[in-house]
Amino acid sequence: MSQTMTGAEIVLKALKDQGVEVIFGYPGGAVLPIYDEIFKQNHIKHVLVRHEQGAAHAAEGYARSTGKPGVLLVTSGPGATNAVTGLQDALMDSIPIICISGQVGTFLIGTDAFQEADTVGITRPCTKHNWLVKDANDLAKAMHQAFQVATTGRPGPVLVDIPKNVQMSPGVYVPAREAKRKSYNPQTRGDLSDIRKAVELIEKAERPIFYTGGGVINSGPNATRLLREFARATGFPVTSTLMGLGAYPASDKQWLGMLGMHGSYEANLAMHGCDVMINIGARFDDRITGRLDAFSPGSKKIHVDIDPSSINKAVRADVGIIGDCAVVLEDMLRIWKSGGSKIQKGAVKDWWKQIAGWRAIDCFRYAPSETTIKPQYALQRLQAAIEKKDFYITTEVGQHQMWAAQFLKFEEPNRWMTSGGLGTMGYGVPAAIGVQMAHPKSLVIDVAGEASFLMTMQEMSTAVQYRLPVKIFILNNERLGMVRQWQQLLHGERYSSSYSEALPDFVKLAEAFGCKGIRAEKPEELDGAIAEMLAYDGPVIFDCMVEKHENCFPMIPSGKGHHEMLLGEAETEGAIDAAGAMLV
């Protein structure tokens, strides 16, 4: 039944009815009525972040690790603009988050009032949809529709902007079932004739590959289960984008590793040489395709995506199927089985022999050192220490992110949180806080670079306040590592502003926050130091001093095709031309 209550009460009632358990936020004048209602209830836990960008990334981490929408609450003006980076990050990586922002009173909008900003105008390009609610009677409907839009179709961020007088005015609460946006009905079931065409290509494929993306994980556990069933039934090789790691188990013999700019040699060569590419929930982004006219030139491409705009946007699909990954995979598997589960067994066996030759290259090999910690070695030792534990990994952005994707192994979905599309330095610490709030008894580690860590390190105060035992594993090379690598390859080793001068003592910084600080400088110190980090019941900042000039290989030079990968330093001279330099 409809109830009359204040706008602030409507917000809390809507959040409770949507099953929200945690919100991340920072108070300010324009949201004080909502914060007052938060104080009066015990159903929803509020986490006080130290910066609104942190609230958005924490909501992303919560959403990515649970499959539920993340919620953040910010004030007007700078509160909302500080959240914009997180909203754009969520938009590009298809993460469902709901941002509730305060706004100056409706009678002050347009007057340049204190802490006023055109939040709806500013966030329109970086949300799926947004609302400025000027009447408390419209507020419940907007709140429920925000959850509907964020979580259906291609997931993403939404924003509800609520003027302060609307929060304080009486309005009628409308239940969720009465507030659906009837005009928004994303297509979830793929066209069966297109699915049959895809199955025909799969049956005739001699050099097939499953190319999977974050859409498989976003679709939910059923999509992951069906992907694994289909892949094992066919015996086809499987690769994944950065966002799709964990959808297929890393320990499986059919797993080729991640593909793309810093992906595995075997995955990239298989993508280049395949004759049928089965794209499930990936969007053919530039870090995957390399030079478009050289991207898998001889293959027929099947593309399954819930977002119609992604089909044929970057790469032309021979068979484009609009629909939810789980629904399409279920139909595809059923039709394939009903036709006799046919594959070209002899040809696929020969294809695996070719892939085995590429695997033998051992593309992630590196020159070990007895005196200096190599970043790859640090991650190998971390993997060895956590592989039997219940762990979640977040990362910042840069070389350490790519090494983490290469050397850490994910057996299940929703265990890997990283900023893929936007590449947001500073993502990992607040994302780890969001993950730890969702999984209080699990091990949560942020693999960080020292430069990225400095961008949102204030959120360690949040970790301490809420007793969140996140572990920050810093690969400290005292450089902006990826920037320095590109300057070496593209700009004649002129290292302009890529050296991190005046770095803090991270052990002392940890102690200042009330965390534990650990440092390792030599290879023989690593195992003991990692064990100490994992044993400590509280937040840790681990300062792992690594080789300063190590480059991340293998790599596809920008402007090149998958078959033009660089495996090490010896191949880098002259590898990137002027056209490629523009694509970095």
Side-chain angles (χ1 to χ4, degrees):
M1 294 180 63
S2 298
Q3 299 171 267
T4 299
M5 54 186 75
T6 68
E9 290 173 324
I10 288 172
V11 170
L12 268 293
K13 171 72 171 166
L15 292 174
K16 180 184 175 185
D17 288 355
Q18 289 289 343
V20 174
E21 298 174 344
V22 181
I23 58 177
F24 304 90
Y26 202 94
V31 283
L32 287 182
I34 297 175
Y35 270 91
D36 196 41
E37 291 304 319
I38 290 172
F39 184 84
K40 296 175 185 177
Q41 58 82 52
N42 295 309
H43 299 288
I44 298 171
K45 184 175 182 64
H46 178 272
V47 177
L48 176 65
V49 296
R50 287 355 185 217
H51 189 284
E52 291 87 354
Q53 181 183 347
H57 295 324
E60 286 187 274
Y62 181 94
R64 184 71 174 171
S65 66
T66 63
K68 303 174 184 177
V71 181
L72 63 147
L73 174 61
V74 300
T75 195
S76 63
T81 59
N82 280 347
V84 164
T85 297
L87 293 174
Q88 180 66 22
D89 192 271
L91 184 73
M92 294 192 73
D93 286 345
S94 305
I95 310 299
I97 62 174
I98 290 89
C99 178
I100 302 165
S101 59
Q103 183 55 273
V104 301
T106 54
F107 51 90
L108 289 172
I109 291 175
T111 68
D112 291 336
F114 177 67
Q115 290 196 331
E116 181 189 2
D118 179 9
T119 301
V120 165
I122 290 167
T123 61
R124 185 171 288 119
C126 59
T127 55
K128 278 187 73 176
H129 194 63
N130 58 19
W131 293 258
L132 171 60
V133 183
K134 294 184 178 181
D135 186 332
N137 290 305
D138 299 328
L139 185 52
K141 184 178 179 181
M143 288 291 297
H144 293 311
Q145 288 183 358
F147 280 85
Q148 178 194 359
V149 172
T151 58
T152 56
R154 179 179 177 177
V158 296
L159 178 138
V160 183
D161 199 32
I162 313 173
K164 188 170 184 180
N165 62 318
V166 173
Q167 298 170 39
M168 302 175 75
S169 300
V172 175
Y173 180 78
V174 179
R177 65 180 177 275
E178 299 175 18
K180 285 189 176 180
R181 192 180 185 90
K182 295 178 182 178
S183 62
Y184 179 63
N185 291 298
Q187 181 178 333
T188 58
R189 187 165 293 282
D191 183 279
L192 287 177
S193 64
D194 288 331
I195 293 174
R196 289 190 182 95
K197 291 176 185 176
V199 168
E200 287 176 12
L201 289 176
I202 289 168
E203 290 174 337
K204 296 175 182 177
E206 297 185 350
R207 300 185 309 281
I209 190 168
F210 280 104
Y211 156 38
T212 63
V216 178
I217 294 173
N218 288 341
S219 179
N222 199 36
T224 300
R225 179 186 64 80
L226 289 164
L227 169 67
R228 295 176 182 208
E229 181 183 348
F230 204 1
R232 286 164 180 159
T234 59
F236 293 175
V238 184
T239 184
S240 162
T241 66
L242 182 73
M243 299 305 296
L245 295 178
Y248 197 80
S251 61
D252 194 275
K253 62 183 181 180
Q254 289 171 240
W255 173 243
L256 302 188
M258 181 182 74
L259 79 157
M261 180 173 279
H262 292 287
S264 76
Y265 186 71
E266 52 267 33
N268 282 326
L269 268 289
M271 282 286 280
H272 182 76
C274 70
D275 67 342
V276 174
M277 180 187 298
I278 310 157
N279 177 340
I280 311 290
R283 59 186 176 87
F284 289 115
D285 72 279
D286 62 294
R287 286 306 193 256
I288 294 299
T289 62
R291 194 174 84 243
L292 282 172
D293 63 3
F295 174 66
S296 194
S299 68
K300 297 288 187 182
K301 299 172 180 68
I302 301 163
H303 188 187
V304 179
D305 204 297
I306 200 163
D307 181 4
S309 70
S310 289
I311 306 289
N312 296 323
K313 181 168 66 176
V315 172
R316 191 187 72 81
D318 295 278
V319 181
I321 303 170
I322 300 167
D324 180 270
C325 290
V327 178
V328 174
L329 278 169
E330 187 170 33
D331 285 339
M332 194 179 289
L333 190 56
R334 175 179 52 80
I335 291 170
W336 178 70
K337 285 181 176 179
S338 68
S341 303
K342 290 181 283 191
I343 62 165
Q344 302 297 315
K345 290 184 179 179
V348 172
K349 186 176 181 180
D350 290 340
W351 177 228
W352 272 111
K353 288 178 182 177
Q354 188 171 4
I355 291 171
W358 293 327
R359 270 181 168 164
I361 296 294
D362 188 16
C363 67
F364 296 133
R365 69 187 184 276
Y366 60 93
S369 171
E370 295 182 359
T371 57
T372 304
I373 299 174
K374 291 295 185 81
Q376 304 95 320
Y377 179 72
L379 288 166
Q380 284 179 320
R381 300 318 303 157
L382 179 65
Q383 170 65 30
I386 67 174
E387 62 185 359
K388 295 182 180 179
K389 297 183 182 295
D390 172 27
F391 69 87
Y392 294 80
I393 300 292
T394 70
T395 78
E396 308 296 336
V397 169
Q399 287 178 316
H400 64 275
Q401 176 190 28
M402 295 296 102
W403 281 315
Q406 292 172 349
F407 288 92
L408 300 182
K409 309 302 179 186
F410 300 94
E411 300 298 312
E412 298 296 333
N414 305 104
R415 299 289 177 146
W416 164 254
M417 275 57 64
T418 195
S419 174
L422 194 61
T424 306
M425 293 175 69
Y427 168 89
V429 174
I433 286 169
V435 175
Q436 193 77 80
M437 281 300 304
H439 307 279
K441 295 182 179 179
S442 300
L443 172 64
V444 181
I445 302 173
D446 173 35
V447 177
E450 79 290 339
S452 285
F453 172 71
L454 290 174
M455 289 198 167
T456 53
M457 67 178 183
Q458 69 273 9
E459 299 305 335
M460 294 307 296
S461 180
T462 306
V464 171
Q465 177 176 340
Y466 294 93
R467 297 181 175 86
L468 302 173
V470 296
K471 317 301 183 190
I472 313 301
F473 191 72
I474 300 174
L475 299 180
N476 186 355
N477 58 10
E478 299 179 341
R479 305 288 188 275
L480 307 183
M482 194 62 85
V483 173
R484 184 211 56 76
Q485 179 167 336
W486 284 112
Q487 287 174 334
Q488 177 184 335
L489 298 177
L490 296 174
H491 299 285
E493 301 185 46
R494 294 181 292 279
Y495 300 121
S496 177
S497 297
S498 56
Y499 172 63
S500 298
E501 296 189 58
L503 286 171
D505 182 321
F506 288 111
V507 172
K508 290 181 179 177
L509 182 67
E511 293 166 355
F513 274 121
C515 309
K516 183 175 185 62
I518 300 172
R519 179 176 294 116
E521 299 182 73
K522 298 178 181 178
E524 63 267 23
E525 298 171 350
L526 257 180
D527 286 352
I530 289 172
E532 183 183 1
M533 175 184 77
L534 299 181
Y536 184 71
D537 185 21
V540 175
I541 298 175
F542 187 117
D543 187 16
C544 185
M545 303 299 296
V546 299
E547 167 61 47
K548 297 181 186 350
H549 297 104
E550 191 77 4
N551 283 333
C552 187
F553 291 106
M555 68 176 289
I556 302 172
S558 55
K560 301 292 185 180
H562 283 132
H563 61 302
E564 300 172 281
M565 289 192 79
L566 306 180
L567 295 176
E569 299 285 353
E571 303 175 9
T572 59
E573 187 173 348
I576 304 174
D577 56 24
M582 287 187 258
L583 299 172
V584 172

